[in-house]
Amino acid sequence: MLQIQQLIQTGQIETAIHETETMLGQLPASGFQYIIGKDLLHLTGPLTAYFNYFYTVMTEDEELEVKALYLEMNSFTIQYDQWFLHLLAYESLAHHDNPDWLADFSGEAQKRLNITGFEALQETNKQYMQTEGYRDDQLRQACELQEYLIILRLQELALKTIRTNKGKAPWANIPVLVGAHDYEDLIFTIQ
């Protein structure tokens, strides 16, 4: 999976999606293949509103000088009942070779944005954990590839949302890091 990490770090999200979908499609059929060809782009409008709301609260109500944002998905592999996005604001952008700095945020969203469209995957993940599917090597590999695809689809959504709002919204002109809880090695920075 090092190849996927490298593609993310170099901003080649579409290539990473294609390669991960291809690998997942080559494995025996399971509920994890549901994600192939599915995206989260229907959330572009709600994500724009979420960014607008959060940035306004942070800069006007909290009077922060926001230099970076972190859009993080919850621990979706163990919290399969509800998948959501959460925003954090930073008044400085640290060197992100060491992800420990992410804990030093200046502001945190009080609201979250629920992810819709992947409910079938949530159920598949629930069944996988409850039946100890991780004991099957091929099923475990399918699950891992699906995890990468979920994060990649989130990054694709954030990238499209930010590009759509460049020059229109101040938050679209600062670095936005995009990832999932406990997947710090897969964080994508949109500049």
Side-chain angles (χ1 to χ4, degrees), residues 46-61:
L47 183 56
T48 297
Y50 186 52
F51 273 123
N52 285 335
Y53 162 79
F54 180 67
Y55 191 83
T56 299
V57 168
M58 290 297 108
T59 57
E60 294 178 12
D61 298 351

Side-chain angles (χ1 to χ4, degrees), residues 48-78:
T48 297
Y50 186 52
F51 273 123
N52 285 335
Y53 162 79
F54 180 67
Y55 191 83
T56 299
V57 168
M58 290 297 108
T59 57
E60 294 178 12
D61 298 351
E62 300 295 325
E63 298 180 353
L64 296 179
E65 189 174 333
V66 179
K67 300 286 187 193
L69 297 172
Y70 179 34
L71 179 66
E72 181 183 54
M73 186 173 175
N74 64 316
S75 297
F76 64 95
T77 57
I78 58 173

Side-chain angles (χ1 to χ4, degrees), residues 4-186:
I4 303 302
Q5 292 173 358
Q6 291 170 338
L7 289 171
I8 290 171
Q9 291 170 355
T10 58
Q12 297 178 60
I13 303 303
E14 288 181 31
T15 302
I17 289 169
H18 175 72
E19 289 188 18
T20 307
E21 284 185 340
T22 300
M23 287 187 279
L24 181 57
Q26 293 170 348
L27 292 174
S30 71
F32 294 119
Q33 276 89 359
Y34 171 85
I35 194 169
I36 296 174
K38 305 274 190 302
D39 62 46
L40 294 171
L41 297 179
H42 64 280
L43 295 173
T44 304
L47 183 56
T48 297
Y50 186 52
F51 273 123
N52 285 335
Y53 162 79
F54 180 67
Y55 191 83
T56 299
V57 168
M58 290 297 108
T59 57
E60 294 178 12
D61 298 351
E62 300 295 325
E63 298 180 353
L64 296 179
E65 189 174 333
V66 179
K67 300 286 187 193
L69 297 172
Y70 179 34
L71 179 66
E72 181 183 54
M73 186 173 175
N74 64 316
S75 297
F76 64 95
T77 57
I78 58 173
Q79 295 175 331
Y80 30 74
D81 291 334
Q82 186 176 39
W83 290 354
F84 60 86
L85 302 176
H86 183 245
L87 273 167
L88 300 170
Y90 298 84
E91 290 189 289
S92 66
L93 180 61
H95 189 26
H96 54 269
D97 284 344
N98 180 353
D100 291 344
W101 72 273
L102 291 170
D104 295 328
F105 53 89
S106 305
E108 179 177 14
Q110 298 304 309
K111 296 180 180 181
R112 57 189 185 199
L113 176 64
N114 289 330
I115 294 175
T116 59
F118 283 174
E119 290 80 5
L121 285 176
Q122 289 173 247
E123 186 59 34
T124 298
N125 279 276
K126 181 178 180 178
Q127 293 299 320
Y128 174 77
M129 292 303 288
Q130 289 177 345
T131 63
E132 299 181 3
Y134 44 82
R135 295 187 186 277
D136 178 304
D137 288 342
Q138 288 188 322
L139 196 56
R140 185 176 59 249
Q141 186 179 7
C143 180
E144 289 172 5
L145 289 168
Q146 170 246 195
E147 291 169 8
Y148 278 92
L149 279 168
I150 290 168
I151 294 166
L152 287 163
R153 290 302 188 173
L154 166 61
Q155 293 166 340
E156 174 188 48
L157 166 66
L159 188 58
K160 180 175 181 0
T161 302
I162 290 165
R163 284 181 177 163
T164 300
N165 286 281
K166 271 282 192 219
K168 301 175 192 170
W171 52 262
N173 298 315
I174 61 174
V176 177
L177 291 84
V178 185
H181 192 76
D182 292 331
Y183 288 89
E184 286 78 15
D185 55 335
L186 298 178

